[in-house]
């Protein structure tokens, strides 16, 4: 089950990385995008290398017992450092590049220390799940374990503090993302805390191997998941918000399009509806159909009726935008009725073309029956 969870988590993270691949190809020099891609890639590697099946494969293929241990520890350490760099890059400001370079140099030294201590130590007995507690008293290997756990704990603690501190000053999706990143890093810190406790217990002659295997895996998995969700929310929130606005606008334009339905159908003024349910495409399709209908109404749109309705609504306390929407609604309703009854009233044509916000207000006025009430008054 552990292998399945690890590989599934790794696959989901790689899907997220592939989703960012087009942006990365276009903006491969963007520091923020590179850092983000690095965080996703390292998080996926943490799950991949942490799976017992992968541990056995790496050790068996390389012929070096426990080679998977420093690889996994190095990846976990690098992931913590990359998450910290992402928060620093996200916040920006003077000195950001210098701070990231300092942290990068420091954690590069930690990675070199992990490799050197593993080479100096003797870890000849393969341990796939309890490497930390088994070798907690082995010279050099014990120092390597403490080094990577301390470096990881430092990275997640600083990242959590920076994220939560910055989140207090923000609102919206960025704040939600930072809070989740902070919480995810705090949960991920349980990985290092649990392992350090298990190692300390081993130094005291106690066997807390279960604490060093089961709890750290749960903390690492949950922490990484929450952190990645926190990273993704601010990236996709603007995209989703735009789509939601488009769908709302599409729905609001419904009454106006329905008022023109007979004309649009009779004169074949509608373009084919897009097959793919894209918010922007469907909104453009409905807006284009409405414009086609208004253009066809042409000379039937009565400028006199428009001005009279506008004046009446203004005297009634409506603001200029509401009065204009009601005037357009009355003119459109009258023009549609004239065409339906095949009347050829002599009117002064109404010129101008309302933009999308104006169309939305006109549609709202028609939905409320403002146009028909204005006609009844006239």
């Amino acid at each position: 089950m552990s292998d399945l969870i690890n590989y599934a988590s790794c696959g989901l993270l790689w899907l997220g990385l592939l989703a960012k691949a087009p942006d990365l190809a276009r903006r491969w020099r963007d520091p923020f995008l590179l850092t983000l891609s690095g965080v996703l890639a390292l998080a996926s590697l943490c799950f991949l290398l942490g799976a017992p099946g992968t541990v056995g494969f790496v050790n068996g293929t390389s012929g070096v017992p426990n080679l998977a241990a420093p690889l996994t520890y190095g990846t976990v350490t690098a992931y913590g450092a990359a998450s910290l760099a992402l928060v620093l890059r996200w916040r920006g400001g003077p000195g950001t590049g210098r701070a990231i370079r300092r942290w990068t140099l420091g954690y590069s030294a930690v990675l070199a220390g992990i490799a050197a201590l593993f080479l100096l130590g003797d870890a000849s007995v393969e341990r796939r799940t309890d490497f930390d507690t088994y070798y907690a008293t082995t010279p050099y290997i014990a120092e390597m374990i403490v080094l990577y756990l301390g470096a990881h704990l430092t990275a997640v603690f600083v990242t959590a503090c920076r994220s939560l501190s910055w989140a207090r000053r923000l609102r919206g999706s960025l704040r939600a993302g930072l809070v989740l990143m902070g919480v995810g890093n705090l949960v991920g810190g349980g990985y290092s805390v649990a392992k350090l406790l298990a190692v300390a217990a081993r130094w005291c002659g106690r066997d807390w191997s279960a604490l060093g295997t089961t709890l750290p895996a749960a903390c690492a998995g949950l922490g990484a998941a929450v952190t990645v969700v926190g990273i993704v929310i601010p990236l996709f929130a603007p995209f989703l918000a735009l789509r939601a606005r488009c769908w709302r606008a599409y729905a609001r334009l419904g009454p106006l399009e329905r008022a023109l339905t007979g004309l649009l159908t009779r004169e074949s003024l509608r373009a084919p509806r897009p097959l793919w349910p894209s918010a922007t495409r469907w909104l453009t399709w409905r807006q284009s159909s409405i414009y086609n209908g208004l253009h066809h109404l042409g000379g039937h749109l009565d400028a006199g009726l428009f001005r009279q309705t506008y004046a009446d609504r203004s005297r009634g306390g409506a603001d200029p935008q509401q009065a204009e929407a009601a005037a357009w609604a009355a003119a459109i309703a009258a023009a549609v009725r004239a065409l339906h009854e095949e009347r050829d009233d002599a009117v002064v044509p109404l010129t101008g073309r309302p933009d999308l916000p104006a169309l939305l207000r006109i549609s709202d006025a028609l939905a409320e029956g403002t146009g028909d009430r204005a006609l009844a008054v006239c």
Side-chain angles (χ1 to χ4, degrees):
M1 183 60 71
S2 177
D3 280 350
L4 179 60
I5 294 174
N6 277 45
Y7 293 145
S9 301
C10 176
L12 289 175
L13 288 168
W14 273 103
L15 285 177
L17 190 59
L18 287 174
K20 300 301 296 180
D23 292 336
L24 187 60
R26 288 192 300 267
R27 297 181 290 147
W28 59 274
R29 291 187 177 181
D30 186 337
F32 176 79
L33 195 56
L34 289 172
T35 307
L36 171 63
S37 301
V39 169
L40 294 176
L42 288 169
S44 67
L45 282 177
C46 288
F47 283 110
L48 177 64
L49 294 174
T54 305
V55 172
F57 175 79
V58 171
N59 294 339
T61 303
S62 65
V64 179
N66 298 305
L67 177 63
L71 292 178
T72 303
Y73 298 161
T75 304
V76 170
T77 303
Y79 166 71
S83 297
L84 175 57
L86 180 63
V87 172
L88 294 174
R89 187 80 68 187
W90 214 343
R91 184 168 187 175
T96 298
R98 186 166 59 253
I100 291 176
R101 283 193 295 272
R102 284 201 300 266
W103 281 103
T104 302
L105 289 174
Y107 274 84
S108 297
V110 170
L111 294 176
I114 291 173
L117 290 169
F118 180 76
L119 292 173
L120 292 171
D122 179 15
S124 56
V125 179
E126 183 184 37
R127 309 298 298 187
R128 297 190 180 186
T129 57
D130 62 346
F131 180 91
D132 305 272
T133 51
Y134 186 86
Y135 287 104
T137 57
T138 303
Y140 298 112
I141 302 298
E143 286 80 358
M144 180 193 76
I145 294 169
V146 173
L147 175 63
Y148 101 85
L149 290 175
H152 176 259
L153 188 59
T154 300
V156 297
F157 178 75
V158 174
T159 303
C161 289
R162 294 286 182 92
S163 300
L164 296 175
S165 174
W166 186 23
R168 289 202 302 267
R169 309 175 191 177
L170 301 172
R171 292 292 183 271
S173 61
L174 185 55
R175 179 177 185 174
L178 287 168
V179 169
L180 286 175
M181 282 192 68
V183 172
N185 276 276
L186 288 177
V187 173
Y191 171 89
S192 296
V193 171
K195 281 185 174 287
L196 283 171
L197 288 175
V199 168
R202 183 77 169 81
W203 293 342
C204 297
R206 299 178 181 275
D207 184 10
W208 289 1
S209 298
L211 179 63
T213 54
T214 305
L215 183 59
C219 289
L222 181 59
V226 174
T227 301
V228 169
V229 170
I231 293 171
V232 166
I233 283 179
L235 296 177
F236 286 95
F239 172 84
L240 296 176
L242 174 61
R243 266 52 188 178
R245 288 195 298 270
C246 288
W247 282 122
R248 286 196 298 269
Y250 173 82
R252 284 180 64 188
L253 288 177
L256 178 53
E257 187 197 18
R258 286 191 289 274
L260 300 170
T261 292
L263 172 65
L264 295 174
T265 302
R266 186 171 60 253
E267 303 296 335
S268 302
L269 298 175
R270 279 196 185 95
R273 184 193 296 266
L275 297 178
W276 182 256
S278 165
T280 53
R281 290 182 181 179
W282 279 31
L283 174 59
T284 301
W285 169 80
R286 177 164 277 182
Q287 188 177 352
S288 299
S289 298
I290 290 171
Y291 279 140
N292 290 342
L294 293 179
H295 178 73
H296 189 82
L297 286 176
H300 295 278
L301 293 169
D302 190 346
L305 175 61
F306 179 93
R307 287 192 295 270
Q308 181 181 349
T309 307
Y310 183 91
D312 292 341
R313 296 293 291 176
S314 296
R315 284 193 297 268
D319 62 40
Q321 289 185 342
Q322 291 174 332
E324 182 185 31
W328 269 107
I332 291 171
V336 169
R337 189 170 302 173
L339 277 181
H340 179 69
E341 296 174 357
E342 298 183 352
R343 299 199 317 265
D344 191 15
D345 300 335
V347 299
V348 178
L350 177 61
T351 59
R353 169 171 156 153
D355 57 12
L356 178 58
L359 287 180
L360 293 173
R361 292 190 294 270
I362 295 167
S363 188
D364 292 340
L366 286 169
E368 297 168 2
T370 303
D372 290 336
R373 288 199 301 271
L375 284 175
V377 171
C378 296

